[in-house]
Amino acid sequence: MIRSVVRGIGSALPRRIMKNTDFEGVLETSDEWIAQRTGIRQRHIASDDETTASLGEAAARAALDNAGLTPADIDLIVLATSTPNNTFPATAVEIQNRLGMHHGFAFDMQAVCSGFVYAVATADLYIRGGLARRVLVIGSETFSRILDWTDRSTCVLFGDGAGALILEAQEGEGTIADRGVLAASLRSDGVHKDKLYVDGGPSTTGTVGLLRMEGREVFKHAVGMITDVIEATFSQAGITAEDLDWFVPHQANKRIIDASARKLGIADEKVVVTVNLHGNTSAASVPLALAVAVADGRVKKGDLVLLEAMGGGFTWGAVLLRW
Ligand code: ACO
């Protein structure tokens, strides 16, 4: 059977680093409060010349270099983002143009922090359905542009960045030993839409709006939703937590990551954590974390890797793949 195998990975971060201490004196907060509650120490913040499209393009170029491919080799670009450059056209199309790619097709996916997991699962279907042979899957965000910088309960949590994977059709045996995407589970439930949302939009206020979150409410649901969707993915693949080599969760909060891993029985040393460095970069967080763990030699060819995310909507999901 056809499998969607990872051929390359890349990432890009804005030049400017903002440390927790940079908030002190501006807002009533402290490095200690932020680090204790979230694990975040710093985040990257886009300058005026850095956008979701430019960061996405940089991550895409890094992934192409990593794969030894050029834009001519790509059939489809799927961009996961909630902070597009414009309401339309899709920022994926802008990235396609920036890459000098005038064949194939490109579209955006919007599932907030779960966007990258949704995009990988979608790209896998395009590949297995024979509609694309190589897909560039990008998560790119500039959440700094939709933050209320006077609200200490949200603005300290998020950062900007981008990550990209190239998935390629390869022949597999149809077993769990295959490389590539092996299982995926996606969920959403709009009953939770008021717990994490942006208070504007083209069809309502005619403005872009700012992020609003009931953090404690999100926290309350997060661990249960994450562990349920991961257990569904394990049973689809016929594996247990012990079979995993790496767990690459959405990087929103170290306490949510730790509690989820503990509940699932995933050992600490198998969990990739970058929330300390990047903050919550929404759809970019999983590929950014993955890129770090690949670059430092932790994730190697043949490793069994679990990706997971949960975000606004709520949306949540997991993807199991063999590197
Ligand atoms: N500095 C200092 N004090 C603060 C800050 C801050 N930055 N932010 C809030 N506080 C205060 C609050 O005002 C509150 O004060 P009060 O008790 O006098 O009212 C107190 O700290 C406790 O606030 P809580 O919200 O109860 O703090 P909690 O321990 O729940 O931590 C946090 C807050 C970090 C937001 C946590 O709830 C959380 O991580 N929630 C999940 C958020 C999340 O994962 N979101 C991303 C989902 S992904 C996506 O789709 C974007």
Side-chain angles (χ1 to χ4, degrees), residues 27-30 33-34 37-38 111-114 143 151-158 196 211 213-220 222 250 252-253 255-256 280 282 310-315:
L27 291 172
E28 216 175 297
T29 190
S30 64
W33 191 97
I34 301 167
R37 301 280 174 135
T38 70
V112 203
C113 298
S114 311
F143 260 50
D151 176 11
R152 66 178 182 174
S153 71
T154 53
C155 73
V156 301
L157 303 175
F158 295 90
L196 175 51
L211 182 147
M213 177 167 74
E214 292 175 37
R216 207 176 290 185
E217 281 295 308
V218 178
F219 203 118
K220 213 169 75 186
H250 173 46
N253 184 313
R255 288 190 293 155
I256 296 176
N280 180 349
S282 188
M310 184 256 179
F314 293 150
T315 55

mmCIF file of all heavy atoms in Angstrom, residues 27-30 33-34 37-38 111-114 143 151-158 196 211 213-220 222 250 252-253 255-256 280 282 310-315, ligand 1:
data_model
loop_
_atom_site.group_PDB
_atom_site.id
_atom_site.type_symbol
_atom_site.label_atom_id
_atom_site.label_comp_id
_atom_site.label_asym_id
_atom_site.label_seq_id
_atom_site.Cartn_x
_atom_site.Cartn_y
_atom_site.Cartn_z
ATOM 1 N N LEU A 27 3.797 44.809 32.491
ATOM 2 C CA LEU A 27 2.565 44.182 32.982
ATOM 3 C C LEU A 27 2.831 43.685 34.404
ATOM 4 O O LEU A 27 3.982 43.450 34.770
ATOM 5 C CB LEU A 27 2.206 42.975 32.116
ATOM 6 C CG LEU A 27 1.754 43.231 30.686
ATOM 7 C CD1 LEU A 27 1.651 41.900 29.947
ATOM 8 C CD2 LEU A 27 0.411 43.950 30.671
ATOM 9 N N GLU A 28 1.744 43.461 35.130
ATOM 10 C CA GLU A 28 1.910 42.925 36.480
ATOM 11 C C GLU A 28 2.106 41.412 36.377
ATOM 12 O O GLU A 28 1.152 40.629 36.476
ATOM 13 C CB GLU A 28 0.648 43.236 37.289
ATOM 14 C CG GLU A 28 0.958 43.539 38.747
ATOM 15 C CD GLU A 28 -0.304 43.951 39.485
ATOM 16 O OE1 GLU A 28 -0.884 45.000 39.118
ATOM 17 O OE2 GLU A 28 -0.697 43.194 40.382
ATOM 18 N N THR A 29 3.324 41.017 36.086
ATOM 19 C CA THR A 29 3.649 39.596 35.957
ATOM 20 C C THR A 29 5.120 39.409 36.273
ATOM 21 O O THR A 29 5.830 40.380 36.557
ATOM 22 C CB THR A 29 3.316 39.091 34.529
ATOM 23 O OG1 THR A 29 3.430 37.675 34.515
ATOM 24 C CG2 THR A 29 4.204 39.688 33.463
ATOM 25 N N SER A 30 5.570 38.154 36.261
ATOM 26 C CA SER A 30 6.977 37.891 36.560
ATOM 27 C C SER A 30 7.432 36.653 35.812
ATOM 28 O O SER A 30 6.623 35.786 35.439
ATOM 29 C CB SER A 30 7.156 37.657 38.059
ATOM 30 O OG SER A 30 6.435 36.488 38.438
ATOM 31 N N TRP A 33 6.200 33.598 37.734
ATOM 32 C CA TRP A 33 4.790 33.200 37.535
ATOM 33 C C TRP A 33 4.632 32.470 36.205
ATOM 34 O O TRP A 33 4.052 31.393 36.135
ATOM 35 C CB TRP A 33 3.863 34.427 37.559
ATOM 36 C CG TRP A 33 2.398 34.044 37.636
ATOM 37 C CD1 TRP A 33 1.631 33.984 38.765
ATOM 38 C CD2 TRP A 33 1.540 33.649 36.543
ATOM 39 N NE1 TRP A 33 0.350 33.579 38.452
ATOM 40 C CE2 TRP A 33 0.264 33.363 37.098
ATOM 41 C CE3 TRP A 33 1.703 33.505 35.181
ATOM 42 C CZ2 TRP A 33 -0.828 32.946 36.324
ATOM 43 C CZ3 TRP A 33 0.618 33.076 34.398
ATOM 44 C CH2 TRP A 33 -0.624 32.807 34.978
ATOM 45 N N ILE A 34 5.196 33.063 35.144
ATOM 46 C CA ILE A 34 5.020 32.483 33.803
ATOM 47 C C ILE A 34 5.686 31.107 33.732
ATOM 48 O O ILE A 34 5.089 30.132 33.262
ATOM 49 C CB ILE A 34 5.582 33.426 32.706
ATOM 50 C CG1 ILE A 34 4.882 34.787 32.744
ATOM 51 C CG2 ILE A 34 5.440 32.788 31.326
ATOM 52 C CD1 ILE A 34 5.566 35.882 31.921
ATOM 53 N N ARG A 37 3.774 28.398 35.939
ATOM 54 C CA ARG A 37 2.441 27.990 35.461
ATOM 55 C C ARG A 37 2.464 27.336 34.095
ATOM 56 O O ARG A 37 1.542 26.616 33.738
ATOM 57 C CB ARG A 37 1.515 29.209 35.354
ATOM 58 C CG ARG A 37 1.299 29.960 36.632
ATOM 59 C CD ARG A 37 0.276 29.278 37.499
ATOM 60 N NE ARG A 37 0.187 29.945 38.792
ATOM 61 C CZ ARG A 37 -0.949 30.251 39.397
ATOM 62 N NH1 ARG A 37 -2.088 29.947 38.841
ATOM 63 N NH2 ARG A 37 -0.939 30.834 40.569
ATOM 64 N N THR A 38 3.502 27.664 33.280
ATOM 65 C CA THR A 38 3.469 27.229 31.877
ATOM 66 C C THR A 38 4.743 26.526 31.385
ATOM 67 O O THR A 38 4.689 25.831 30.375
ATOM 68 C CB THR A 38 3.266 28.442 30.934
ATOM 69 O OG1 THR A 38 4.456 29.241 30.945
ATOM 70 C CG2 THR A 38 2.088 29.289 31.354
ATOM 71 N N ALA A 111 -7.477 25.074 11.926
ATOM 72 C CA ALA A 111 -7.943 24.310 13.094
ATOM 73 C C ALA A 111 -7.176 24.782 14.323
ATOM 74 O O ALA A 111 -6.911 24.019 15.244
ATOM 75 C CB ALA A 111 -7.780 22.816 12.876
ATOM 76 N N VAL A 112 -6.783 26.052 14.307
ATOM 77 C CA VAL A 112 -6.038 26.707 15.384
ATOM 78 C C VAL A 112 -4.825 25.830 15.762
ATOM 79 O O VAL A 112 -4.101 25.413 14.869
ATOM 80 C CB VAL A 112 -6.949 27.064 16.577
ATOM 81 C CG1 VAL A 112 -6.322 28.198 17.401
ATOM 82 C CG2 VAL A 112 -8.324 27.553 16.075
ATOM 83 N N CYS A 113 -4.648 25.543 17.036
ATOM 84 C CA CYS A 113 -3.421 24.832 17.448
ATOM 85 C C CYS A 113 -3.365 23.403 16.913
ATOM 86 O O CYS A 113 -2.293 22.806 16.860
ATOM 87 C CB CYS A 113 -3.289 24.838 18.960
ATOM 88 S SG CYS A 113 -3.152 26.494 19.620
ATOM 89 N N SER A 114 -4.516 22.837 16.531
ATOM 90 C CA SER A 114 -4.517 21.473 15.973
ATOM 91 C C SER A 114 -4.259 21.490 14.470
ATOM 92 O O SER A 114 -4.270 20.433 13.833
ATOM 93 C CB SER A 114 -5.869 20.797 16.228
ATOM 94 O OG SER A 114 -6.252 20.928 17.564
ATOM 95 N N PHE A 143 0.962 34.798 15.907
ATOM 96 C CA PHE A 143 -0.051 35.087 16.927
ATOM 97 C C PHE A 143 0.191 36.424 17.629
ATOM 98 O O PHE A 143 -0.738 36.994 18.205
ATOM 99 C CB PHE A 143 -0.121 33.943 17.960
ATOM 100 C CG PHE A 143 -1.271 32.994 17.717
ATOM 101 C CD1 PHE A 143 -1.480 32.460 16.460
ATOM 102 C CD2 PHE A 143 -2.152 32.649 18.738
ATOM 103 C CE1 PHE A 143 -2.532 31.591 16.217
ATOM 104 C CE2 PHE A 143 -3.219 31.790 18.503
ATOM 105 C CZ PHE A 143 -3.413 31.253 17.250
ATOM 106 N N ASP A 151 -3.341 42.245 28.171
ATOM 107 C CA ASP A 151 -3.959 41.148 28.924
ATOM 108 C C ASP A 151 -2.891 40.130 29.329
ATOM 109 O O ASP A 151 -2.493 39.278 28.530
ATOM 110 C CB ASP A 151 -5.048 40.487 28.057
ATOM 111 C CG ASP A 151 -5.664 39.266 28.731
ATOM 112 O OD1 ASP A 151 -5.418 39.049 29.933
ATOM 113 O OD2 ASP A 151 -6.383 38.521 28.028
ATOM 114 N N ARG A 152 -2.475 40.209 30.588
ATOM 115 C CA ARG A 152 -1.373 39.357 31.045
ATOM 116 C C ARG A 152 -1.746 37.874 31.040
ATOM 117 O O ARG A 152 -0.859 37.012 31.051
ATOM 118 C CB ARG A 152 -0.932 39.764 32.462
ATOM 119 C CG ARG A 152 -1.994 39.504 33.509
ATOM 120 C CD ARG A 152 -1.529 39.852 34.902
ATOM 121 N NE ARG A 152 -2.588 39.525 35.866
ATOM 122 C CZ ARG A 152 -2.467 39.607 37.155
ATOM 123 N NH1 ARG A 152 -1.331 40.036 37.681
ATOM 124 N NH2 ARG A 152 -3.456 39.276 37.957
ATOM 125 N N SER A 153 -3.056 37.563 31.047
ATOM 126 C CA SER A 153 -3.447 36.152 31.122
ATOM 127 C C SER A 153 -3.336 35.449 29.763
ATOM 128 O O SER A 153 -3.436 34.229 29.690
ATOM 129 C CB SER A 153 -4.866 36.017 31.673
ATOM 130 O OG SER A 153 -5.805 36.472 30.721
ATOM 131 N N THR A 154 -3.134 36.210 28.692
ATOM 132 C CA THR A 154 -2.956 35.567 27.371
ATOM 133 C C THR A 154 -1.645 35.948 26.676
ATOM 134 O O THR A 154 -0.992 35.089 26.084
ATOM 135 C CB THR A 154 -4.115 35.908 26.406
ATOM 136 O OG1 THR A 154 -4.261 37.336 26.344
ATOM 137 C CG2 THR A 154 -5.426 35.282 26.846
ATOM 138 N N CYS A 155 -1.239 37.227 26.766
ATOM 139 C CA CYS A 155 -0.140 37.666 25.889
ATOM 140 C C CYS A 155 1.203 37.026 26.238
ATOM 141 O O CYS A 155 2.088 36.955 25.382
ATOM 142 C CB CYS A 155 -0.028 39.184 25.828
ATOM 143 S SG CYS A 155 0.626 39.953 27.305
ATOM 144 N N VAL A 156 1.346 36.523 27.469
ATOM 145 C CA VAL A 156 2.628 35.918 27.853
ATOM 146 C C VAL A 156 2.767 34.486 27.318
ATOM 147 O O VAL A 156 3.844 33.893 27.403
ATOM 148 C CB VAL A 156 2.801 35.902 29.398
ATOM 149 C CG1 VAL A 156 2.728 37.313 29.957
ATOM 150 C CG2 VAL A 156 1.759 35.004 30.075
ATOM 151 N N LEU A 157 1.665 33.940 26.786
ATOM 152 C CA LEU A 157 1.644 32.499 26.471
ATOM 153 C C LEU A 157 2.086 32.161 25.049
ATOM 154 O O LEU A 157 2.451 31.026 24.778
ATOM 155 C CB LEU A 157 0.224 31.941 26.673
ATOM 156 C CG LEU A 157 -0.403 32.127 28.063
ATOM 157 C CD1 LEU A 157 -1.850 31.634 28.058
ATOM 158 C CD2 LEU A 157 0.403 31.388 29.116
ATOM 159 N N PHE A 158 1.998 33.130 24.138
ATOM 160 C CA PHE A 158 2.126 32.797 22.709
ATOM 161 C C PHE A 158 3.389 33.354 22.067
ATOM 162 O O PHE A 158 3.978 34.321 22.567
ATOM 163 C CB PHE A 158 0.892 33.297 21.947
ATOM 164 C CG PHE A 158 -0.382 32.586 22.381
ATOM 165 C CD1 PHE A 158 -1.152 33.098 23.417
ATOM 166 C CD2 PHE A 158 -0.762 31.412 21.779
ATOM 167 C CE1 PHE A 158 -2.306 32.444 23.839
ATOM 168 C CE2 PHE A 158 -1.917 30.743 22.193
ATOM 169 C CZ PHE A 158 -2.692 31.259 23.227
ATOM 170 N N LEU A 196 -12.061 29.789 23.847
ATOM 171 C CA LEU A 196 -10.799 30.189 23.206
ATOM 172 C C LEU A 196 -11.148 30.635 21.797
ATOM 173 O O LEU A 196 -11.506 29.814 20.956
ATOM 174 C CB LEU A 196 -9.833 28.981 23.198
ATOM 175 C CG LEU A 196 -8.505 29.121 22.471
ATOM 176 C CD1 LEU A 196 -7.755 30.367 22.884
ATOM 177 C CD2 LEU A 196 -7.647 27.898 22.755
ATOM 178 N N LEU A 211 -7.222 37.681 20.433
ATOM 179 C CA LEU A 211 -7.410 36.376 21.084
ATOM 180 C C LEU A 211 -7.975 36.550 22.489
ATOM 181 O O LEU A 211 -7.499 37.395 23.259
ATOM 182 C CB LEU A 211 -6.061 35.656 21.124
ATOM 183 C CG LEU A 211 -6.014 34.256 21.722
ATOM 184 C CD1 LEU A 211 -4.969 33.415 21.007
ATOM 185 C CD2 LEU A 211 -5.730 34.280 23.221
ATOM 186 N N MET A 213 -9.264 34.068 25.887
ATOM 187 C CA MET A 213 -9.213 32.685 26.375
ATOM 188 C C MET A 213 -9.591 32.605 27.848
ATOM 189 O O MET A 213 -9.154 33.415 28.651
ATOM 190 C CB MET A 213 -7.799 32.124 26.194
ATOM 191 C CG MET A 213 -7.641 30.713 26.736
ATOM 192 S SD MET A 213 -6.121 29.907 26.215
ATOM 193 C CE MET A 213 -4.940 30.777 27.222
ATOM 194 N N GLU A 214 -10.416 31.599 28.155
ATOM 195 C CA GLU A 214 -10.642 31.228 29.546
ATOM 196 C C GLU A 214 -9.657 30.107 29.852
ATOM 197 O O GLU A 214 -9.965 28.922 29.690
ATOM 198 C CB GLU A 214 -12.078 30.736 29.744
ATOM 199 C CG GLU A 214 -13.138 31.806 29.577
ATOM 200 C CD GLU A 214 -14.539 31.215 29.678
ATOM 201 O OE1 GLU A 214 -14.767 30.291 30.476
ATOM 202 O OE2 GLU A 214 -15.403 31.682 28.924
ATOM 203 N N GLY A 215 -8.450 30.506 30.261
ATOM 204 C CA GLY A 215 -7.340 29.556 30.399
ATOM 205 C C GLY A 215 -7.659 28.365 31.283
ATOM 206 O O GLY A 215 -7.354 27.218 30.940
ATOM 207 N N ARG A 216 -8.330 28.638 32.423
ATOM 208 C CA ARG A 216 -8.608 27.559 33.364
ATOM 209 C C ARG A 216 -9.581 26.537 32.754
ATOM 210 O O ARG A 216 -9.453 25.345 32.967
ATOM 211 C CB ARG A 216 -9.211 28.151 34.648
ATOM 212 C CG ARG A 216 -8.939 27.309 35.861
ATOM 213 C CD ARG A 216 -9.465 27.956 37.121
ATOM 214 N NE ARG A 216 -8.700 29.143 37.488
ATOM 215 C CZ ARG A 216 -8.927 29.819 38.620
ATOM 216 N NH1 ARG A 216 -9.870 29.451 39.443
ATOM 217 N NH2 ARG A 216 -8.202 30.874 38.916
ATOM 218 N N GLU A 217 -10.547 27.039 31.957
ATOM 219 C CA GLU A 217 -11.517 26.159 31.285
ATOM 220 C C GLU A 217 -10.831 25.287 30.225
ATOM 221 O O GLU A 217 -11.143 24.099 30.086
ATOM 222 C CB GLU A 217 -12.615 27.000 30.607
ATOM 223 C CG GLU A 217 -13.668 27.493 31.560
ATOM 224 C CD GLU A 217 -14.457 26.331 32.166
ATOM 225 O OE1 GLU A 217 -14.954 25.497 31.414
ATOM 226 O OE2 GLU A 217 -14.550 26.264 33.404
ATOM 227 N N VAL A 218 -9.898 25.920 29.480
ATOM 228 C CA VAL A 218 -9.162 25.159 28.462
ATOM 229 C C VAL A 218 -8.369 24.056 29.153
ATOM 230 O O VAL A 218 -8.403 22.886 28.752
ATOM 231 C CB VAL A 218 -8.211 26.071 27.639
ATOM 232 C CG1 VAL A 218 -7.423 25.249 26.618
ATOM 233 C CG2 VAL A 218 -8.992 27.175 26.931
ATOM 234 N N PHE A 219 -7.688 24.442 30.202
ATOM 235 C CA PHE A 219 -6.849 23.499 30.964
ATOM 236 C C PHE A 219 -7.684 22.302 31.445
ATOM 237 O O PHE A 219 -7.255 21.150 31.355
ATOM 238 C CB PHE A 219 -6.246 24.227 32.173
ATOM 239 C CG PHE A 219 -4.992 23.595 32.694
ATOM 240 C CD1 PHE A 219 -3.797 24.297 32.697
ATOM 241 C CD2 PHE A 219 -4.997 22.300 33.186
ATOM 242 C CE1 PHE A 219 -2.628 23.706 33.165
ATOM 243 C CE2 PHE A 219 -3.843 21.707 33.659
ATOM 244 C CZ PHE A 219 -2.652 22.413 33.642
ATOM 245 N N LYS A 220 -8.893 22.617 31.938
ATOM 246 C CA LYS A 220 -9.761 21.582 32.525
ATOM 247 C C LYS A 220 -10.087 20.479 31.516
ATOM 248 O O LYS A 220 -10.160 19.313 31.866
ATOM 249 C CB LYS A 220 -11.065 22.258 32.975
ATOM 250 C CG LYS A 220 -11.703 21.662 34.190
ATOM 251 C CD LYS A 220 -12.820 22.550 34.710
ATOM 252 C CE LYS A 220 -14.066 22.469 33.845
ATOM 253 N NZ LYS A 220 -15.107 23.433 34.274
ATOM 254 N N ALA A 222 -8.320 19.957 28.552
ATOM 255 C CA ALA A 222 -7.208 19.579 27.667
ATOM 256 C C ALA A 222 -6.732 18.141 27.868
ATOM 257 O O ALA A 222 -6.686 17.362 26.901
ATOM 258 C CB ALA A 222 -6.049 20.555 27.846
ATOM 259 N N HIS A 250 1.609 19.168 21.259
ATOM 260 C CA HIS A 250 1.441 20.612 21.094
ATOM 261 C C HIS A 250 2.054 21.303 22.315
ATOM 262 O O HIS A 250 1.843 20.877 23.453
ATOM 263 C CB HIS A 250 -0.047 20.938 20.981
ATOM 264 C CG HIS A 250 -0.339 22.403 20.974
ATOM 265 N ND1 HIS A 250 0.379 23.289 20.198
ATOM 266 C CD2 HIS A 250 -1.259 23.133 21.648
ATOM 267 C CE1 HIS A 250 -0.088 24.509 20.404
ATOM 268 N NE2 HIS A 250 -1.079 24.442 21.276
ATOM 269 N N ALA A 252 1.751 23.998 24.464
ATOM 270 C CA ALA A 252 0.969 25.101 25.031
ATOM 271 C C ALA A 252 1.378 25.356 26.463
ATOM 272 O O ALA A 252 1.501 26.510 26.884
ATOM 273 C CB ALA A 252 -0.516 24.790 24.963
ATOM 274 N N ASN A 253 1.582 24.283 27.206
ATOM 275 C CA ASN A 253 1.808 24.427 28.635
ATOM 276 C C ASN A 253 2.472 23.150 29.142
ATOM 277 O O ASN A 253 1.965 22.058 28.912
ATOM 278 C CB ASN A 253 0.443 24.633 29.319
ATOM 279 C CG ASN A 253 0.584 24.892 30.805
ATOM 280 O OD1 ASN A 253 1.299 24.189 31.504
ATOM 281 N ND2 ASN A 253 -0.113 25.904 31.278
ATOM 282 N N ARG A 255 2.639 21.925 32.006
ATOM 283 C CA ARG A 255 1.827 21.147 32.961
ATOM 284 C C ARG A 255 0.835 20.245 32.215
ATOM 285 O O ARG A 255 0.563 19.129 32.645
ATOM 286 C CB ARG A 255 1.076 22.084 33.915
ATOM 287 C CG ARG A 255 2.004 22.743 34.941
ATOM 288 C CD ARG A 255 1.194 23.464 35.998
ATOM 289 N NE ARG A 255 0.479 24.596 35.442
ATOM 290 C CZ ARG A 255 -0.641 25.135 35.942
ATOM 291 N NH1 ARG A 255 -1.179 24.625 37.025
ATOM 292 N NH2 ARG A 255 -1.207 26.177 35.370
ATOM 293 N N ILE A 256 0.275 20.744 31.093
ATOM 294 C CA ILE A 256 -0.644 19.914 30.291
ATOM 295 C C ILE A 256 0.137 18.758 29.654
ATOM 296 O O ILE A 256 -0.325 17.608 29.639
ATOM 297 C CB ILE A 256 -1.349 20.766 29.197
ATOM 298 C CG1 ILE A 256 -2.238 21.835 29.843
ATOM 299 C CG2 ILE A 256 -2.156 19.883 28.252
ATOM 300 C CD1 ILE A 256 -2.907 22.785 28.849
ATOM 301 N N ASN A 280 3.702 29.116 23.036
ATOM 302 C CA ASN A 280 2.691 28.431 22.233
ATOM 303 C C ASN A 280 2.639 29.099 20.855
ATOM 304 O O ASN A 280 2.185 30.238 20.729
ATOM 305 C CB ASN A 280 1.335 28.522 22.940
ATOM 306 C CG ASN A 280 0.217 27.823 22.178
ATOM 307 O OD1 ASN A 280 0.394 27.429 21.028
ATOM 308 N ND2 ASN A 280 -0.929 27.684 22.823
ATOM 309 N N SER A 282 0.912 27.867 18.325
ATOM 310 C CA SER A 282 -0.285 27.355 17.658
ATOM 311 C C SER A 282 0.070 26.279 16.622
ATOM 312 O O SER A 282 0.752 25.320 16.960
ATOM 313 C CB SER A 282 -1.076 28.520 17.067
ATOM 314 O OG SER A 282 -2.321 28.079 16.582
ATOM 315 N N MET A 310 -4.165 20.201 20.561
ATOM 316 C CA MET A 310 -5.516 20.565 20.992
ATOM 317 C C MET A 310 -5.598 22.088 20.957
ATOM 318 O O MET A 310 -4.641 22.764 21.330
ATOM 319 C CB MET A 310 -5.724 20.056 22.425
ATOM 320 C CG MET A 310 -7.106 20.270 22.979
ATOM 321 S SD MET A 310 -7.111 21.627 24.139
ATOM 322 C CE MET A 310 -8.822 21.678 24.588
ATOM 323 N N GLY A 311 -6.712 22.627 20.461
ATOM 324 C CA GLY A 311 -6.793 24.079 20.377
ATOM 325 C C GLY A 311 -8.205 24.599 20.238
ATOM 326 O O GLY A 311 -9.184 23.864 20.443
ATOM 327 N N GLY A 312 -8.298 25.862 19.861
ATOM 328 C CA GLY A 312 -9.571 26.576 19.779
ATOM 329 C C GLY A 312 -10.599 25.831 18.949
ATOM 330 O O GLY A 312 -10.282 25.178 17.956
ATOM 331 N N GLY A 313 -11.846 25.929 19.373
ATOM 332 C CA GLY A 313 -12.954 25.217 18.692
ATOM 333 C C GLY A 313 -13.907 24.565 19.673
ATOM 334 O O GLY A 313 -15.043 24.949 19.732
ATOM 335 N N PHE A 314 -13.481 23.598 20.446
ATOM 336 C CA PHE A 314 -12.171 22.983 20.466
ATOM 337 C C PHE A 314 -11.963 22.075 19.259
ATOM 338 O O PHE A 314 -12.921 21.494 18.729
ATOM 339 C CB PHE A 314 -11.971 22.150 21.740
ATOM 340 C CG PHE A 314 -11.920 22.950 23.008
ATOM 341 C CD1 PHE A 314 -12.347 22.400 24.210
ATOM 342 C CD2 PHE A 314 -11.444 24.259 23.034
ATOM 343 C CE1 PHE A 314 -12.289 23.127 25.392
ATOM 344 C CE2 PHE A 314 -11.375 24.977 24.216
ATOM 345 C CZ PHE A 314 -11.800 24.408 25.388
ATOM 346 N N THR A 315 -10.697 21.965 18.867
ATOM 347 C CA THR A 315 -10.261 20.948 17.920
ATOM 348 C C THR A 315 -9.178 20.151 18.626
ATOM 349 O O THR A 315 -8.453 20.698 19.467
ATOM 350 C CB THR A 315 -9.641 21.583 16.673
ATOM 351 O OG1 THR A 315 -8.581 22.459 17.092
ATOM 352 C CG2 THR A 315 -10.655 22.378 15.869
HETATM 353 N N1 ACO B 1 1.136 36.957 35.631
HETATM 354 C C1 ACO B 1 0.727 36.990 36.907
HETATM 355 N N2 ACO B 1 -0.514 36.651 37.294
HETATM 356 C C2 ACO B 1 -1.363 36.236 36.319
HETATM 357 C C3 ACO B 1 -0.997 36.189 34.961
HETATM 358 C C4 ACO B 1 0.322 36.570 34.633
HETATM 359 N N3 ACO B 1 0.785 36.528 33.374
HETATM 360 N N4 ACO B 1 -2.033 35.731 34.251
HETATM 361 C C5 ACO B 1 -3.054 35.517 35.118
HETATM 362 N N5 ACO B 1 -2.637 35.817 36.371
HETATM 363 C C6 ACO B 1 -3.395 35.736 37.605
HETATM 364 C C7 ACO B 1 -4.878 35.710 37.390
HETATM 365 O O1 ACO B 1 -5.381 37.033 37.269
HETATM 366 C C8 ACO B 1 -5.375 35.039 38.660
HETATM 367 O O2 ACO B 1 -5.413 35.995 39.684
HETATM 368 P P1 ACO B 1 -6.613 35.972 40.761
HETATM 369 O O3 ACO B 1 -6.482 34.647 41.447
HETATM 370 O O4 ACO B 1 -6.293 37.143 41.611
HETATM 371 O O5 ACO B 1 -7.875 36.097 39.962
HETATM 372 C C9 ACO B 1 -4.254 34.052 38.995
HETATM 373 O O6 ACO B 1 -3.098 34.492 38.258
HETATM 374 C C10 ACO B 1 -4.567 32.615 38.617
HETATM 375 O O7 ACO B 1 -5.084 32.608 37.306
HETATM 376 P P2 ACO B 1 -5.526 31.282 36.605
HETATM 377 O O8 ACO B 1 -6.027 31.593 35.235
HETATM 378 O O9 ACO B 1 -6.396 30.466 37.494
HETATM 379 O O10 ACO B 1 -4.123 30.544 36.510
HETATM 380 P P3 ACO B 1 -3.818 29.089 36.018
HETATM 381 O O11 ACO B 1 -3.040 28.370 37.025
HETATM 382 O O12 ACO B 1 -5.040 28.415 35.446
HETATM 383 O O13 ACO B 1 -2.831 29.366 34.817
HETATM 384 C C11 ACO B 1 -2.872 29.445 32.424
HETATM 385 C C12 ACO B 1 -3.244 30.132 33.722
HETATM 386 C C13 ACO B 1 -1.371 29.343 32.340
HETATM 387 C C14 ACO B 1 -3.401 30.259 31.256
HETATM 388 C C15 ACO B 1 -3.489 28.031 32.398
HETATM 389 O O14 ACO B 1 -4.836 28.083 32.731
HETATM 390 C C16 ACO B 1 -3.356 27.364 31.068
HETATM 391 O O15 ACO B 1 -2.264 27.068 30.623
HETATM 392 N N6 ACO B 1 -4.476 27.028 30.423
HETATM 393 C C17 ACO B 1 -4.470 26.348 29.163
HETATM 394 C C18 ACO B 1 -4.188 27.335 28.104
HETATM 395 C C19 ACO B 1 -3.846 26.677 26.835
HETATM 396 O O16 ACO B 1 -3.268 25.619 26.797
HETATM 397 N N7 ACO B 1 -4.201 27.355 25.788
HETATM 398 C C20 ACO B 1 -3.804 27.008 24.531
HETATM 399 C C21 ACO B 1 -4.714 26.079 23.844
HETATM 400 S S1 ACO B 1 -4.120 25.993 22.284
HETATM 401 C C22 ACO B 1 -4.858 27.108 21.191
HETATM 402 O O17 ACO B 1 -5.724 26.701 20.438
HETATM 403 C C23 ACO B 1 -4.437 28.528 21.149
#
